[in-house]
């Protein structure tokens, strides 16, 4: 189909997925051979994103940052990559990032240090992870939509958790203990789950993954994986990882490596009914639902 025909199709059927895809392709810049494949991990707190980031970071052809847009700071495996130049006192911080998010991304995407050297000599892909509140809390949701979600050059890895109640309980336990990463929860830690608060969480969670994280080219530019698949080593290593590597355009024969310091916070074989103090109340309220 010619360019003129693509424009006609878009104007005559603007809501058609095919017309949007063809129209968007007209404005897509062809990726230069030296460009890294850009990607973002779209997830939620306590859904396995730290483990996935560690796995991505260990691939020799992937430059993986952490929460680059966390409201309180910039988190990355490569802190020196935040230097704007070779002067140690000229470094990106969360204030400058929030003021100039596009310039910050322009600094990050090439995957190089301030002196021009590559972060990884064999790097082929670069990315970071993102949660919904990263952009909302800094009034930069428009930037996220324009420069991440709607950018056809940025691939999306969407990581969710099948068990929404497990996500909510893990978040609540972290709030109570202050242990957000790397420290196991106490054996006797129980929490009370407010029924209405949990229902509000589920609504927000489902809206985020079913609507908010869908780009104009979805599903062509997206790769889905669940926390349950991630923690099952056999499933992830043999079935998911090769497809994920292919999606990012990196060596798909690479064997998955997990960082030794990745710590499981919940106890082994621990059931939700063991840690929710009002389990029977919750079970009764949602007896016809699947969480």
């Amino acid at each position: 189909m010619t360019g003129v025909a693509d424009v006609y199709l878009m104007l005559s059927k603007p809501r058609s997925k095919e017309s949007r895809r063809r129209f968007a392709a007209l404005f897509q810049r062809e990726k230069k051979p030296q460009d890294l494949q850009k990607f973002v991990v779209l997830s939620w707190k306590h859904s396995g994103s730290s483990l996935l980031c560690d796995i991505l970071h260990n691939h020799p052809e992937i430059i993986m940052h952490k929460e680059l847009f966390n409201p309180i700071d910039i988190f990355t495996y490569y802190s020196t990559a935040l230097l704007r130049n070779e002067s140690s006192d000229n470094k990106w911080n969360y204030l400058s990032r929030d003021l100039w998010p596009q310039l910050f991304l322009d600094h990050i995407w090439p995957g190089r240090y301030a002196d021009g050297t590559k972060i990884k000599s064999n790097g082929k892909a670069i990315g970071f992870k993102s949660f919904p509140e990263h952009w909302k809390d800094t009034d930069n949701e428009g930037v996220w939509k324009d420069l991440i979600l709607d950018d056809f050059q940025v691939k999306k890895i969407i990581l969710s958790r099948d068990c929404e109640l497990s996500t909510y309980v893990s978040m609540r336990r972290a709030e109570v203990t202050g242990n957000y990463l790397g420290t196991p929860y106490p054996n006797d830690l129980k929490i009370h789950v407010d029924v209405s608060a949990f229902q509000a969480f589920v609504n927000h969670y489902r809206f985020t993954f079913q609507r908010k994280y869908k780009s104009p080219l979805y599903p062509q530019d997206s790769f889905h994986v669940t926390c349950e698949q991630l923690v099952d080593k056999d499933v992830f290593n043999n079935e998911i990882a090769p497809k994920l590597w292919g999606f990012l355009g990196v060596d798909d024969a690479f064997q998955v490596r997990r960082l030794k310091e990745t710590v499981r916070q919940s106890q082994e074989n621990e059931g939700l009914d063991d840690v929710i103090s009002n389990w029977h109340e919750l079970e009764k309220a949602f007896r016809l639902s699947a969480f």
Side-chain angles (χ1 to χ4, degrees):
M1 183 177 285
T2 66
V4 174
D6 286 335
V7 173
Y8 174 78
L9 177 61
M10 178 63 185
L11 295 175
S12 60
K13 298 181 179 180
R15 296 183 182 278
S16 163
K17 288 185 179 180
E18 176 64 12
S19 65
R20 291 202 306 270
R21 186 188 68 78
R22 289 182 178 276
F23 189 70
L26 293 176
F27 300 95
Q28 281 189 257
R29 175 180 62 87
E30 286 192 16
K31 192 160 71 75
K32 299 175 183 178
Q34 69 270 26
D35 286 350
L36 299 176
Q37 173 60 62
K38 298 179 286 188
F39 71 91
V40 63
V41 174
L42 300 175
S43 190
W44 194 286
K45 292 179 179 178
H46 295 269
S47 293
S49 62
S50 293
L51 176 57
L52 179 58
C53 286
D54 289 343
I55 291 172
L56 291 167
H57 170 63
N58 275 334
H59 195 294
E61 296 178 350
I62 296 176
I63 301 167
M64 183 68 210
H65 294 285
K66 297 181 183 178
E67 298 176 38
L68 290 183
F69 285 86
N70 187 298
I72 65 172
D73 206 352
I74 301 174
F75 296 97
T76 176
Y77 295 99
Y78 312 100
S79 59
T80 53
L82 300 179
L83 292 173
R84 298 190 204 185
N85 54 45
E86 296 181 58
S87 172
S88 60
D89 60 351
N90 192 358
K91 189 175 184 180
W92 283 99
N93 56 47
Y94 71 96
L95 294 174
S96 56
R97 174 205 65 193
D98 292 343
L99 284 172
W100 303 290
Q102 182 167 358
L103 290 178
F104 177 70
L105 283 171
D106 289 343
H107 173 89
I108 292 296
W109 287 137
R112 295 176 180 270
Y113 292 112
D115 63 2
T117 59
K118 296 178 179 179
I119 294 176
K120 284 188 176 181
S121 59
N122 297 323
K124 293 182 179 179
I126 183 169
F128 62 94
K129 75 172 176 177
S130 174
F131 298 150
E133 66 271 18
H134 288 179
W135 308 88
K136 183 177 181 180
D137 291 353
T138 57
D139 294 323
N140 273 329
E141 282 199 294
V143 174
W144 173 81
K145 187 176 185 304
D146 293 340
L147 301 184
I148 303 297
L149 189 68
D150 291 353
D151 187 335
F152 311 109
Q153 300 292 329
V154 180
K155 291 192 172 182
K156 291 84 181 172
I157 301 172
I158 302 175
L159 172 65
S160 60
R161 196 167 182 172
D162 288 337
C163 183
E164 295 153 335
L165 182 56
S166 293
T167 300
Y168 185 77
V169 167
S170 183
M171 289 171 56
R172 289 284 293 113
R173 296 176 91 184
E175 291 170 4
V176 170
T177 62
N179 297 337
Y180 288 90
L181 186 67
T183 305
Y185 300 130
N187 292 336
D188 58 350
L189 176 63
K190 288 181 175 288
I191 63 161
H192 178 275
V193 175
D194 181 88
V195 173
S196 59
F198 176 60
Q199 182 62 67
F201 163 79
V202 169
N203 293 341
H204 188 194
Y205 192 87
R206 292 182 179 178
F207 172 80
T208 298
F209 285 97
Q210 294 173 8
R211 301 286 298 277
K212 189 180 182 71
Y213 282 168
K214 288 190 176 180
S215 74
L217 284 184
Y218 179 89
Q220 290 95 328
D221 63 346
S222 302
F223 185 96
H224 278 267
V225 61
T226 68
C227 179
E228 287 76 7
Q229 292 172 325
L230 187 62
V231 298
D232 187 321
K233 292 184 179 180
D234 288 336
V235 170
F236 185 81
N237 293 1
N238 299 320
E239 300 177 20
I240 306 300
K243 296 177 183 177
L244 178 57
W245 303 151
F247 175 73
L248 294 176
V250 298
D251 180 10
D252 59 5
F254 177 75
Q255 297 299 307
V256 172
R257 293 207 309 264
R258 302 174 185 235
L259 295 180
K260 292 182 179 179
E261 56 264 34
T262 301
V263 176
R264 178 188 175 95
Q265 291 187 283
S266 60
Q267 303 301 317
E268 193 72 29
N269 300 320
E270 182 180 69
L272 289 173
D273 55 340
D274 296 323
V275 300
I276 299 176
S277 59
N278 60 324
W279 172 258
H280 294 298
E281 175 194 0
L282 195 66
E283 186 179 39
K284 182 178 179 180
F286 296 103
R287 61 185 178 275
L288 299 179
S289 302
F291 294 117

